Every structure is written in C-alpha cells, then in structure tokens.
Amino acid sequence: PDGGLARPNILMFGDWGWEGARTMRQRRALSEWIAGLRATRGRVAVVELGAGEAVPTVRRTSEAAARDLGGVLVRINPRDDEVLFDLQGAAV
C-alpha cells in the first residue's frame, strides 16, 4: 500500500525488519487448538509435506505435535523421509 517492496511473512536469518505480531497470533491460535485436542482427547494425524533437514524447524514441530498428542506423523518427502523410531508414523 505504501509503494514499498513487498516481502513474505517468513523470518529470514539476520532479518532485523521482521514484524512478528502475526506469527504470535498464529502461535497462540495453534496452542489453543492443541489444548482443545488434549481436553477432548481428539485423535491426531500430522501431515508434513516437503520439510527437509537443512532447516529442521517444521520437522521438529511436526514431531513434537505427534509425540505430545499421541498422534501419527505422515511425512511426505522424496529425499528426507525418515520418521524417528519413537513416533508412530509413515514416510513416503
């Protein structure tokens, strides 16, 4: 709107111009959703698409969610498809 350069809403390395308010709202919403699943003992399948090992943030988040909620992890990645031995899951 101001004629400035548009940027994606992702945090890059050394990104001193990052505005994290949206991300904090999304984290809060995710935490509330997970708390609701715990309260209702909902069944969970975490489907992870294309998250590699170079920057493992998404992989670790998926693994933690599946582990913490007693769910299943479905990892879809042609190169980095391993699922940790302590998780119930499948990889393709």
Side-chain angles (χ1 to χ4, degrees):
D2 63 3
L5 185 62
R7 59 171 282 163
N9 190 36
I10 57 172
L11 177 59
M12 304 297 284
F13 297 104
D15 188 355
W16 305 114
W18 170 250
E19 172 51 56
R22 179 177 183 216
T23 298
M24 293 308 294
R25 287 192 307 272
Q26 290 171 330
R27 281 191 184 149
R28 197 169 25 257
L30 177 61
S31 293
E32 291 170 3
W33 181 72
I34 288 173
L37 286 173
R38 283 192 180 112
T40 62
R41 299 186 183 267
R43 295 179 63 190
V44 175
V46 178
V47 179
E48 179 193 277
L49 300 170
E53 294 179 344
V55 180
T57 308
V58 171
R59 292 173 73 92
R60 300 302 168 253
T61 301
S62 299
E63 292 164 358
R67 186 178 294 110
D68 293 347
L69 294 168
V72 174
L73 173 61
V74 178
R75 177 167 281 155
I76 302 171
N77 189 304
R79 288 182 302 197
D80 301 322
D81 63 347
E82 298 82 17
V83 173
L84 298 176
F85 69 91
D86 67 325
L87 290 171
Q88 181 181 18
V92 291

